Amino acid sequence: MAEPGHSHHLSARVRGRTERRIPRLWRLLLWAGTAFQVTQGTGPELHACKESEYHYEYTACDSTGSRWRVAVPHTPGLCTSLPDPIKGTECSFSCNAGEFLDMKDQSCKPCAEGRYSLGTGIRFDEWDELPHGFASLSANMELDDSAAESTGNCTSSKWVPRGDYIASNTDECTATLMYAVNLKQSGTVNFEYYYPDSSIIFEFFVQNDQCQPNADDSRWMKTTEKGWEFHSVELNRGNNVLYWRTTAFSVWTKVPKPVLVRNIAITGVAYTSECFPCKPGTYADKQGSSFCKLCPANSYSNKGETSCHQCDPDKYSEKGSSSCNVRPACTDKDYFYTHTACDANGETQLMYKWAKPKICSEDLEGAVKLPASGVKTHCPPCNPGFFKTNNSTCQPCPYGSYSNGSDCTRCPAGTEPAVGFEYKWWNTLPTNMETTVLSGINFEYKGMTGWEVAGDHIYTAAGASDNDFMILTLVVPGFRPPQSVMADTENKEVARITFVFETLCSVNCELYFMVGVNSRTNTPVETWKGSKGKQSYTYIIEENTTTSFTWAFQRTTFHEASRKYTNDVAKIYSINVTNVMNGVASYCRPCALEASDVGSSCTSCPAGYYIDRDSGTCHSCPTNTILKAHQPYGVQACVPCGPGTKNNKIHSLCYNDCTFSRNTPTRTFNYNFSALANTVTLAGGPSFTSKGLKYFHHFTLSLCGNQGRKMSVCTDNVTDLRIPEGVTTDMTLDGITSPAELFHLESLGIPDVIFFYRSNDVTQSCSSGRSTTIRVRCSPQKTVPGSLLLPGTCSDGTCDGCNFHFLWESAAACPLCSVADYHAIVSSCVAGIQKTTYVWREPKLCSGGISLPEQRVTICKTIDFWLKVGISAGTCTAILLTVLTCYFWKKNQKLEYKYSKLVMNATLKDCDLPAADSCAIMEGEDVEDDLIFTSKKSLFGKIKSFTSKRTPDGFDSVPLKTSSGGLDMDL
């Protein structure tokens, strides 16, 4: 058979050359005949074509479904006298699987031994290079022109042939594997694929003649769980273009595992004109084979073989090998130890076994021998909840009893068994666990044991090669959570699994822990790389359904078919699963007692009630506390809610009801965040991968309210941060800090209200779990819902990957308005009416709350009235003062006269004075008459005289004049 690209047969080997190319070949044949006629007279004479120098092809089908068989030379112009065209078979004609169409006599014939045929199909099972007809394209995810610069980074991101399969890209570029085929009748395309990593988007679809893809949800492939899976799609008659497309998202440091595709088969082509030879490592021992069989282990075959050849004794090979490898000398890495089941005497034997398949030789120099087996030791006790039978086997205790691994004991009155599975002794593998090995080379499951029991632990055995995956699976049929947990519809804890493990590695080993629900694909939960000391890990189960737990250990990712690191092992010491349906109990816990006619029996407390250990009665948890559902004993099981939060109706979680109060020495600030209770989304700033792919971090937030129900939901969420720690204005709460320097400072004098959330899910990078803080800041200019901001220094919302911080600015974040937030403005009295208007203080730093009071109108007196009253009062006061002034002046004059007279009389007694010109009081004058001065004084002068200072002896000084008008003399 000719090599691809050199044969002109319309067969699988030409990989997609169909009858749509016949017109071009027919024209080529006519051109060659014409050229021969033109040059016949001048060139050398051409010889008649031999059968080896031409081949037959069919022309295109006409409207009646007919076609012609024509001879086409391999090289035009080298020979002449080709057979004449004859009528060919009907266009719908085809051969059965295992047959081919002999174009010479146009009949179906069986394939010879060592070859196979699909009849109307073609198969691609050799991937040493990209088969003819396939195209591998790559492109950047960005579709705009701005990405043209980064598109060049994706030129090498294509599907890569790797011998038995073809592998996809593992970066964020889009890689497309494409193949076009023309079908003369309806057919199918089927292939096997291995799709282990959901961080790659893998789709397969078909486009028809109008370039329209098939509108089928099956184009999105599902991740595989158990090695290779088979996929088949129906094809319509006519042109079909097949697309295998992958896009990875390697935004984190971990590189995703590629998608692998192999054994692509297409049926519905016009015909197969030849059979295909079996590829190396396979054979076909019968005529008319439609497929080739794999060679067994320790044998090999070349291309087109009818049987396999046994390897020499000093060589070995795996199943489906094309060659044999030299056996190395056996080392201590080629065997492992295990324990037999306990015998009737309660003893177990230590057994050493060669790792399967055995590829080493014990006869070579330096080879080690298998250590002696059969050393007997006492069997370990049974696991808790089991008891040992007479024949030293372990059986589960009946419900209502418990054990520590020896005898079963009935639970005391007032208690119930705490059912679950607790495995800490490993003499035999439990019945609900299984182990196997997944090849790291061709990703097929092998009939081997991946984990071996070793008394107090279980460890990984030696696989066929160091990159094999050692698989251990535990299946739990369901869970039996307490009734209080069943009453909580918020996906609260149903059960938990805790295991203690250790890894000892010299290279880049990895231990995966995966969880599958309802037989669905396992989802990786946690991965540990390298050596890890003895430690425990707990996973919370939130769905009551059949669940599988899988541990997978890979010593190295290098594709080496050898054993160099079998001493690198993973050990699991104990596995404990709680609340298991049909489980066993290692202890009994107190229960709530329910009285009945036959005594008392256990019952479940209502949701939010704890059990009193002494009385066995149920008591409601105090206000603002939640109940530990997995340990509901005593009032200490009721955990207080954080500041600013309250419990829901069944005391299963704390939440904030969108209200908050803050007290200061001068006033109380009340908040109502109900306007912010709806779910909001936020996208971070753009980030770029090494290939230039732009991506965003998307956040969904639900602040408060809704009775604590989870309103914001993310697909494939890493951590559920729905546990509120509290609401406060302090920057730190219970070990969670919201640094103020992450955001621009608050400038209005109102402190931010901070919502604190925590998740207890512990990861390798976040040993204390993850947390979130949301700063709610009063911003009167930003209407509801406001704006969400990420820290300027950490555009992804987090600076360490564990603690996330957000700022929410909104007018709804301002305190509720109160009487302290407005003041009154009183107008002047106009026409006997005065108005009082209330306005908000500026700037207004409140929202909602009380409204401004209505304008108040009062009756008042105008200024004209009060002016009249003032003038009248002033006039009366002036008159009164004038009268009083005159009265006291007159009174003063009389007193002055009397005083003067007394002074004069006193002076005459002491000494003689000159005779007076006239008497002070004439005879016949009344003493009450007015005193008349000889000299006239003004009113001011009179007052001054009245107020003259006294003499040192206490008497007033009165000025007198002599009759002769001399100098005044003071007396």
Side-chain angles (χ1 to χ4, degrees):
M1 184 180 64
E3 292 295 324
H6 296 82
S7 174
H8 293 276
H9 290 278
L10 188 60
S11 63
R13 236 346 141 184
V14 296
R15 300 294 192 263
R17 296 184 183 180
T18 56
E19 292 184 1
R20 55 190 173 87
R21 304 178 61 183
I22 298 301
R24 181 176 64 84
L25 296 172
W26 181 243
R27 289 193 298 271
L28 180 63
L29 181 61
L30 294 178
W31 173 84
T34 304
F36 172 75
Q37 293 176 1
V38 172
T39 60
Q40 186 176 7
T42 59
E45 183 177 354
L46 300 180
H47 65 276
C49 291
K50 303 176 182 178
E51 288 189 7
S52 60
E53 294 178 328
Y54 64 89
H55 62 274
Y56 293 105
E57 290 186 2
Y58 282 124
T59 63
C61 296
D62 56 22
S63 58
T64 62
S66 301
R67 56 187 174 183
W68 291 81
R69 191 202 70 175
V70 296
V72 180
H74 298 324
T75 304
L78 294 182
C79 62
T80 184
S81 301
L82 292 172
D84 295 331
I86 63 174
K87 190 173 181 61
T89 60
E90 296 296 326
C91 290
S92 60
F93 176 83
S94 62
C95 296
N96 297 323
E99 299 178 339
F100 73 99
L101 179 63
D102 187 349
M103 294 293 290
K104 185 174 182 180
D105 55 10
Q106 300 189 75
S107 63
C108 295
K109 295 182 180 180
C111 293
E113 297 177 356
R115 308 174 79 86
Y116 75 97
S117 167
L118 299 180
T120 62
I122 50 178
R123 183 194 299 273
F124 304 96
D125 52 13
E126 295 182 54
W127 298 94
D128 296 319
E129 60 181 2
L130 196 65
H132 185 77
F134 279 87
S136 181
L137 309 175
S138 61
N140 194 288
M141 283 188 61
E142 301 287 349
L143 299 179
D144 53 7
D145 294 337
S146 61
E149 218 174 275
S150 61
T151 304
N153 296 332
C154 293
T155 53
S156 60
S157 300
K158 298 182 179 181
W159 289 76
V160 181
R162 291 184 179 175
D164 291 333
Y165 53 81
I166 185 169
S168 73
N169 64 320
T170 56
D171 53 20
E172 62 272 13
C173 299
T174 298
T176 303
L177 180 67
M178 184 174 61
Y179 183 76
V181 63
N182 182 277
L183 301 185
K184 295 304 178 182
Q185 58 185 1
S186 298
T188 60
V189 55
N190 53 72
F191 57 90
E192 295 179 82
Y193 71 99
Y194 179 70
Y195 180 21
D197 201 328
S198 59
S199 59
I200 294 182
I201 296 178
F202 177 35
E203 57 177 326
F204 171 74
F205 60 96
V206 181
Q207 284 187 344
N208 56 19
D209 290 333
Q210 289 76 35
C211 293
Q212 296 176 348
N214 53 342
D216 190 356
D217 292 338
S218 63
R219 68 181 293 174
W220 304 106
M221 310 298 291
K222 296 181 180 179
T223 54
T224 56
E225 181 180 1
K226 296 182 178 180
W228 293 87
E229 291 192 8
F230 183 81
H231 186 70
S232 180
V233 175
E234 294 184 357
L235 301 178
N236 297 324
R237 178 181 176 181
N239 292 323
N240 293 269
V241 184
L242 315 180
Y243 293 90
W244 292 264
R245 180 173 294 169
T246 56
T247 302
F249 292 92
S250 56
V251 295
W252 308 113
T253 55
K254 181 181 177 182
V255 178
K257 293 180 172 58
V259 176
L260 309 181
V261 175
R262 70 180 183 184
N263 295 338
I264 301 176
I266 303 173
T267 63
V269 297
Y271 58 89
T272 299
S273 60
E274 59 182 338
C275 296
F276 309 127
C278 293
K279 68 176 184 177
T282 64
Y283 70 99
D285 56 352
K286 296 180 180 179
Q287 287 188 349
S289 297
S290 60
F291 63 93
C292 298
K293 303 175 184 178
L294 293 176
C295 287
N298 296 322
S299 66
Y300 72 97
S301 70
N302 297 314
K303 190 173 185 179
E305 292 278 6
T306 60
S307 63
C308 298
H309 310 287
Q310 287 296 122
C311 295
D312 295 335
D314 60 342
K315 295 182 180 181
Y316 74 97
S317 69
E318 293 187 359
K319 185 179 180 179
S321 297
S322 59
S323 62
C324 297
N325 301 317
V326 178
R327 293 183 183 272
C330 291
T331 66
D332 57 356
K333 297 180 175 60
D334 292 304
Y335 65 84
F336 64 94
Y337 65 92
T338 184
H339 291 266
T340 62
C342 292
D343 56 21
N345 298 324
E347 293 181 330
T348 179
Q349 296 186 42
L350 178 64
M351 305 296 294
Y352 290 93
K353 298 180 179 180
W354 291 111
K356 298 296 183 180
K358 183 183 178 184
I359 62 175
C360 65
S361 174
E362 303 175 62
D363 302 328
L364 297 178
E365 183 180 356
V368 300
K369 300 294 183 180
L370 192 66
S373 300
V375 178
K376 291 187 177 182
T377 58
H378 286 289
C379 286
C382 295
N383 282 307
F386 291 81
F387 70 97
K388 187 165 292 187
T389 63
N390 294 331
N391 57 0
S392 297
T393 60
C394 294
Q395 295 294 327
C397 290
Y399 182 79
S401 60
Y402 71 99
S403 82
N404 59 358
S406 55
D407 297 328
C408 298
T409 305
R410 294 291 302 177
C411 288
T415 64
E416 63 178 352
V419 295
F421 286 137
E422 183 178 359
Y423 302 122
K424 62 180 182 180
W425 298 109
W426 304 92
N427 186 57
T428 58
L429 197 66
T431 56
N432 58 346
M433 299 183 73
E434 61 181 15
T435 177
T436 186
V437 177
L438 174 66
S439 171
I441 299 176
N442 56 18
F443 300 97
E444 292 182 343
Y445 281 91
K446 304 176 179 179
M448 301 172 57
T449 299
W451 293 69
E452 290 288 346
V453 294
D456 64 344
H457 67 275
I458 184 172
Y459 73 102
T460 53
S465 62
D466 287 333
N467 64 344
D468 286 347
F469 292 91
M470 321 308 289
I471 308 295
L472 177 67
T473 302
L474 166 65
V475 178
V476 177
F479 301 94
R480 186 182 179 184
Q483 182 178 347
S484 57
V485 176
M486 295 296 291
D488 185 7
T489 59
E490 288 302 304
N491 295 326
K492 197 169 176 61
E493 175 182 337
V494 171
R496 58 176 57 193
I497 178 173
T498 302
F499 59 91
V500 179
F501 71 97
E502 179 184 21
T503 57
L504 303 173
C505 302
S506 59
V507 288
N508 56 336
C509 69
E510 291 185 343
L511 175 63
Y512 301 89
F513 175 61
M514 298 171 285
V515 177
V517 177
N518 282 335
S519 301
R520 292 199 300 268
T521 303
N522 283 331
T523 302
V525 173
E526 190 59 271
T527 304
W528 296 271
K529 296 182 179 180
S531 295
K532 298 295 179 182
K534 193 174 182 180
Q535 58 186 276
S536 65
Y537 177 80
T538 299
Y539 174 76
I540 305 300
I541 303 160
E542 297 184 346
E543 188 174 355
N544 189 2
T545 183
T546 300
T547 306
S548 64
F549 306 98
T550 302
W551 294 264
F553 180 74
Q554 186 182 34
R555 292 179 169 87
T556 179
T557 57
F558 299 132
H559 290 215
E560 296 181 4
S562 61
R563 299 189 184 108
K564 294 182 180 179
Y565 310 108
T566 53
N567 291 336
D568 294 2
V569 296
K571 298 180 180 180
I572 295 180
Y573 293 92
S574 65
I575 301 174
N576 187 4
V577 188
T578 63
N579 298 335
V580 176
M581 183 185 301
N582 300 326
V584 294
S586 60
Y587 68 96
C588 296
R589 59 191 175 195
C591 65
L593 298 178
E594 181 180 38
S596 63
D597 297 337
V598 295
S600 59
S601 60
C602 285
T603 185
S604 297
C605 288
Y609 283 69
Y610 65 89
I611 301 173
D612 185 89
R613 289 182 180 271
D614 298 328
S615 62
T617 57
C618 299
H619 299 274
S620 176
C621 278
T623 305
N624 293 334
T625 61
I626 58 174
L627 181 66
K628 288 183 179 178
H630 62 281
Q631 194 179 1
Y633 306 111
V635 70
Q636 64 271 13
C638 301
V639 181
C641 293
T645 61
K646 60 196 300 186
N647 63 276
N648 62 353
K649 293 181 180 180
I650 59 176
H651 291 268
S652 62
L653 56 86
C654 298
Y655 74 100
N656 176 266
D657 61 356
C658 296
T659 61
F660 179 72
S661 295
R662 178 172 62 90
N663 296 319
T664 65
T666 57
R667 62 176 290 190
T668 297
F669 293 89
N670 296 314
Y671 295 81
N672 190 328
F673 303 114
S674 299
L676 306 179
N678 294 329
T679 301
V680 295
T681 59
L682 171 66
S687 300
F688 297 89
T689 65
S690 59
K691 293 289 186 178
L693 172 65
K694 181 169 64 176
Y695 66 94
F696 300 86
H697 286 92
H698 188 83
F699 302 94
T700 305
L701 306 176
S702 179
L703 186 67
C704 58
N706 303 304
Q707 286 288 314
R709 291 188 298 271
K710 183 169 64 176
M711 304 301 293
S712 56
V713 180
C714 293
T715 303
D716 294 332
N717 196 24
V718 175
T719 304
D720 186 7
L721 291 165
R722 62 182 289 251
I723 306 176
E725 287 292 309
V727 182
T728 178
T729 55
D730 299 332
M731 288 191 296
T732 300
L733 178 64
D734 195 19
I736 306 174
T737 301
S738 175
E741 61 271 12
L742 291 179
F743 303 99
H744 59 275
L745 297 178
E746 189 276 326
S747 60
L748 299 178
I750 299 179
D752 298 336
V753 179
I754 308 175
F755 287 72
F756 293 84
Y757 302 87
R758 182 193 298 276
S759 170
N760 294 324
D761 295 341
V762 177
T763 62
Q764 291 188 82
S765 57
C766 303
S767 58
S768 300
R770 288 186 169 92
S771 66
T772 294
T773 64
I774 303 178
R775 284 180 168 264
V776 182
R777 177 173 296 176
C778 174
S779 183
Q781 293 79 20
K782 296 186 178 181
T783 57
V784 177
S787 61
L788 272 169
L789 301 176
L790 295 172
T793 55
C794 307
S795 60
D796 296 335
T798 177
C799 299
D800 56 6
C802 299
N803 303 294
F804 294 80
H805 306 282
F806 303 90
L807 174 63
W808 196 336
E809 294 182 314
S810 175
C814 296
L816 295 177
C817 295
S818 64
V819 294
D821 294 303
Y822 65 82
H823 62 93
I825 299 178
V826 181
S827 66
S828 59
C829 187
V830 179
I833 296 177
Q834 189 175 50
K835 298 181 180 180
T836 303
T837 305
Y838 299 92
V839 296
W840 297 113
R841 298 184 185 277
E842 293 295 337
K844 182 184 177 183
L845 301 178
C846 65
S847 174
I850 66 173
S851 302
L852 285 174
E854 297 291 336
Q855 187 182 59
R856 188 160 56 94
V857 178
T858 57
I859 299 175
C860 62
K861 300 297 183 179
T862 63
I863 191 172
D864 296 340
F865 171 80
W866 292 112
L867 184 60
K868 293 177 180 179
V869 172
I871 293 174
S872 301
T875 302
C876 295
T877 303
I879 295 174
L880 180 60
L881 290 175
T882 302
V883 173
L884 290 175
T885 300
C886 293
Y887 170 76
F888 284 110
W889 179 80
K890 184 172 180 66
K891 195 75 174 175
N892 181 62
Q893 289 295 316
K894 291 181 180 181
L895 291 174
E896 186 178 353
Y897 172 74
K898 293 180 179 181
Y899 182 74
S900 300
K901 187 175 179 180
L902 291 173
V903 171
M904 291 178 63
N905 291 334
T907 304
L908 290 177
K909 292 179 180 181
D910 295 337
C911 62
D912 292 335
L913 293 175
D917 294 338
S918 60
C919 293
I921 300 175
M922 300 300 294
E923 188 177 346
E925 291 180 350
D926 187 74
V927 296
E928 297 296 329
D929 293 342
D930 293 337
L931 178 64
I932 303 173
F933 287 91
T934 57
S935 61
K936 192 174 181 179
K937 290 185 178 181
S938 63
L939 178 62
F940 178 76
K942 293 178 180 179
I943 295 174
K944 182 177 180 182
S945 299
F946 178 76
T947 60
S948 61
K949 65 181 180 178
R950 294 176 179 267
T951 59
D953 56 1
F955 294 94
D956 292 334
S957 176
V958 178
L960 298 177
K961 287 186 178 183
T962 62
S963 57
S964 60
L967 295 174
D968 293 337
M969 181 175 57
D970 290 335
L971 294 179

